[in-house]
Amino acid sequence: MTSAVETLAVALGDLQPRTAVVLGSGLGGLAEALSDRIVVPFAQLPGFPHSGVSGHAGEIVAGRLSGVPVILLSGRVHYYEKGDPAAMRTPLETLKAVGVERVILTNSAGSLMPEIPPGSVMMITDHINWSGMNPLIGEASDARFVGMTSAYDEATMRDARAAAAQSGVELAEGVYMWFSGPSFETPAEIRAARTLGADAVGMSTVPEVILSRFLGLRCAAFSVITNLAAGMTGAELSHGETKEVAPQGGAKLARLLAALFEREKAQ
Ligand code: HPA
């Protein structure tokens, strides 16, 4: 059987993306902003997951954004689907093997800050993993002791701030706390998260950041805020709301990433 690396490398041809973007729930719209699109369904890539979450397509879309080669992963798998925190290991290893150096992770998240309301885009500057899970558990070599002090790439964050100012996209910043899901948090958990220093909560991204750092990939991450977190409004949370609100913030995020690439191209 042809490996995922071979299949993807052949599909990419002369396109040699250095950056990959993992798309979160309801954020698939970014794929439409790409020119010269190449689509490879996950089903053609051995070891790639089948996400059963509605709002996730399960395909790679490669192309150019602001003229810069990029690979989008539409259809991440979450810990809560199979209980496997390393579910995204093969996709990330495959990206690394075809020459990707940086992964930009995106997600939908609940905000703990009333001043970062639904529809906002928040750049993740750090994270809290109090889940008790880690995708490197069981990894045998000393490489498992990955430093996480500079997990989020300073240079990309600097460029993203400048790109936001340039493109008129308001960009919040904050700490993201990973909850396993799939149930949403309780109001008491949100109060605890706030006490611990979280600004937003979500069910993804943290395992991928850990795996990416393990693989030597630089990381950046952005949340589209789809709701205020549990207990903040009195309303019940739902995945329907996530899917409905995500594209609004997703359009802002697409503009921001286009401006980021434009800026990096000029450097
Ligand atoms: N909690 C966890 N994950 C989420 C939320 C939330 O409030 N909103 C979108 N994804």
Side-chain angles (χ1 to χ4, degrees), residues 36-37 41 47-48 56 81 88 94 118 153 164-165 173 203 208 215 232 265:
D36 308 329
R37 256 182 283 172
F48 272 58
H56 282 263
E81 288 175 67
M88 288 295 285
T94 304
D153 185 56
E173 297 188 18
M203 304 177 193
E208 290 134 290
L215 296 171
M232 290 176 67
K265 188 174 61 177

Side-chain angles (χ1 to χ4, degrees), residues 76 85 88 92 103-105 107 124 126-127 135-136 146-148 150-153 176 204-222:
R76 65 146 55 91
M88 288 295 285
L92 290 167
V103 179
I104 298 178
L105 299 147
N107 61 45
I124 299 178
D126 205 346
H127 74 228
L136 300 178
V146 178
M148 296 295 288
S150 307
Y152 295 86
D153 185 56
Y176 175 91
S204 67
T205 303
V206 166
E208 290 134 290
V209 169
I210 296 169
L211 283 168
S212 296
R213 297 307 297 144
F214 172 69
L215 296 171
L217 296 162
R218 291 188 288 132
C219 281
F222 298 89

Side-chain angles (χ1 to χ4, degrees), residues 108-111 184-185 201-203 226-230 237 242:
S108 296
S111 171
F184 285 102
E185 300 74 30
V201 292
M203 304 177 193
T226 55
N227 56 279
L228 291 174
L237 307 185
T242 301

Side-chain angles (χ1 to χ4, degrees), residues 44-143:
Q44 290 175 17
L45 300 168
F48 272 58
H50 298 278
S51 174
V53 185
S54 57
H56 282 263
E59 61 189 18
I60 277 185
V61 183
R64 291 177 188 275
L65 185 62
S66 305
V68 179
V70 63
I71 298 182
L72 304 184
L73 259 75
S74 182
R76 65 146 55 91
V77 269
H78 303 79
Y79 171 76
Y80 61 71
E81 288 175 67
K82 300 223 164 60
D84 177 12
M88 288 295 285
R89 182 161 175 159
T90 297
L92 290 167
E93 284 175 338
T94 304
L95 293 174
K96 165 105 180 167
V98 298
V100 166
E101 295 166 358
R102 178 179 63 174
V103 179
I104 298 178
L105 299 147
T106 69
N107 61 45
S108 296
S111 171
L112 274 62
M113 314 281 273
E115 60 274 29
I116 310 179
S120 306
V121 177
M122 188 190 95
M123 180 160 71
I124 299 178
T125 56
D126 205 346
H127 74 228
I128 299 173
N129 177 15
W130 268 32
S131 65
M133 268 96 62
N134 192 299
L136 300 178
I137 290 174
E139 182 63 34
S141 76
D142 278 359

Side-chain angles (χ1 to χ4, degrees), residues 151-224:
Y152 295 86
D153 185 56
E154 281 296 340
T156 303
M157 290 199 283
R158 230 178 7 251
D159 286 337
R161 287 181 192 113
Q166 229 167 18
S167 59
V169 173
E170 207 177 319
L171 183 61
E173 297 188 18
V175 173
Y176 175 91
M177 185 162 177
W178 179 38
F179 282 82
S180 77
S183 56
F184 285 102
E185 300 74 30
T186 63
E189 286 164 347
I190 293 303
R191 289 195 296 275
R194 186 178 291 116
T195 302
L196 290 172
D199 301 302
V201 292
M203 304 177 193
S204 67
T205 303
V206 166
E208 290 134 290
V209 169
I210 296 169
L211 283 168
S212 296
R213 297 307 297 144
F214 172 69
L215 296 171
L217 296 162
R218 291 188 288 132
C219 281
F222 298 89
S223 291
V224 164

